[in-house]
Amino acid sequence: DTILSVSGVSKTYGSGTTALHSVDLDIAKGEIFALLGPNGAGKTTLISIICGIVTPSTGTVTVMGHDAINEFRAARRLVGLVPQELSVDMFETVLATVKFSRRLFGRSGHDAYIEEVLRDLSLWDKRDARIMELSGGMKRRVLIAKALSHEPDILFLDEPTAGVDVSLRRDMWKLIHRLRDKGTTIILTTHYIEEAEEMADRVGVIDKGKLILVERKAELMKRL
Ligand code: ADP
Ligand code: ADP
């Protein structure tokens, strides 16, 4: 079951940098897919295009039957993005942040869903804390809760463990597996090969804007 289809996607920024060269990729419902590549390879650009934040120069993206470029509002509801940078109001509480994000997507109510998300992320006990009071690992989990607020079908995580110590990284991997086990399709970017190896069902290797290899994990490990 294909949930997301990327076809012939290229991107040249206004600065003249070509970040992507004709990328094709199909993602199956329920899989964990890792986009592996060095800094500057085009990973963030690709997920930004799929999430409707950056417009591609050419190509098409289809998310659950919606054209993600021309109907980006419809497609955006189906995806949640956990960005690299801490994009929250530090003075706001955890619960208010997640509820506000849900309302931005035009979804109200469902306090039971929000409670479940915060419990899954071990943030329920911290729901009334201001984000600035939380540890680094908790702050990262708030970004995940925010991205899940509107019940997306696909969750994108941009470098979920960059700059994180080993034990927090393992916690994050477990957490991501749990989210998938609840039915969310997961796409993450990473420049750590061990993260791709540990996390993903399939790995796409991207370098200089080209998707040079897409393999099931077992096949990839034989090649590298
Ligand atoms: P577009 O053509 O898609 O509008 P631009 O080249 O105009 O993109 O850049 C959009 C924004 O990203 C600008 O504010 C620019 O300063 C910033 N930017 C430029 N180069 C980079 C880069 N290498 N990495 C991240 N952001 C950049
Ligand atoms: P990665 O996520 O793999 O590190 P990016 O998608 O951020 O790669 O960047 C791919 C290339 O596009 C890099 O050369 C980067 O400098 C450039 N780039 C990224 N964002 C912008 C932007 N907004 N404007 C201009 N160039 C950009």
Side-chain angles (χ1 to χ4, degrees), residues 61-63 65-78:
V61 177
T62 309
V63 181
H66 292 278
D67 175 338
I69 294 147
N70 296 306
E71 291 177 70
F72 73 93
R73 272 173 236 281
R76 211 181 255 185
R77 284 163 189 274
L78 305 173

Side-chain angles (χ1 to χ4, degrees), residues 13 15 17-19 37-46 84 158:
Y13 283 105
S15 59
T17 304
T18 297
N39 285 326
K43 304 182 294 295
T44 302
T45 299
L46 182 56
Q84 280 182 49
D158 199 3

Side-chain angles (χ1 to χ4, degrees), residues 65-130:
H66 292 278
D67 175 338
I69 294 147
N70 296 306
E71 291 177 70
F72 73 93
R73 272 173 236 281
R76 211 181 255 185
R77 284 163 189 274
L78 305 173
V79 305
L81 172 63
V82 183
Q84 280 182 49
E85 65 291 349
L86 203 58
S87 51
V88 289
D89 179 349
M90 298 293 257
F91 292 93
E92 202 44 273
T93 68
V94 172
L95 187 59
T97 299
V98 177
K99 283 192 169 179
F100 180 72
S101 174
R102 183 176 174 90
R103 254 181 277 125
L104 282 183
F105 281 92
R107 300 188 78 148
S108 56
H110 284 285
D111 289 347
Y113 173 77
I114 290 175
E115 179 173 343
E116 184 187 338
V117 165
L118 292 178
R119 285 193 187 280
D120 285 346
L121 294 166
S122 306
L123 286 170
W124 183 245
D125 292 344
K126 295 284 181 188
R127 63 190 177 279
D128 295 321
R130 289 180 183 201

Side-chain angles (χ1 to χ4, degrees), residues 11-17 54-55:
K11 174 66 181 178
T12 301
Y13 283 105
S15 59
T17 304
V54 168
T55 308

Side-chain angles (χ1 to χ4, degrees), residues 156-220:
F156 291 84
L157 299 120
D158 199 3
E159 297 273 357
T161 67
V164 160
D165 70 38
V166 177
S167 92
L168 272 182
R169 186 171 298 164
R170 298 214 161 269
D171 290 347
M172 184 62 80
W173 291 348
K174 273 190 220 144
L175 176 65
I176 291 169
H177 269 130
R178 248 190 291 140
L179 296 174
R180 187 272 292 280
D181 292 344
K182 295 193 132 192
T184 308
T185 303
I186 310 265
I187 300 175
L188 61 98
T189 71
T190 185
H191 59 271
Y192 299 115
I193 183 145
E194 46 313 352
E195 182 153 284
E197 188 184 329
E198 186 77 25
M199 290 294 311
D201 303 312
R202 281 195 309 152
V203 179
V205 179
I206 186 166
D207 190 33
K208 298 187 183 74
K210 290 191 176 131
L211 196 56
I212 53 179
L213 184 69
V214 178
E215 290 277 20
R216 299 211 68 79
K217 186 172 62 179
E219 297 300 315
L220 181 75

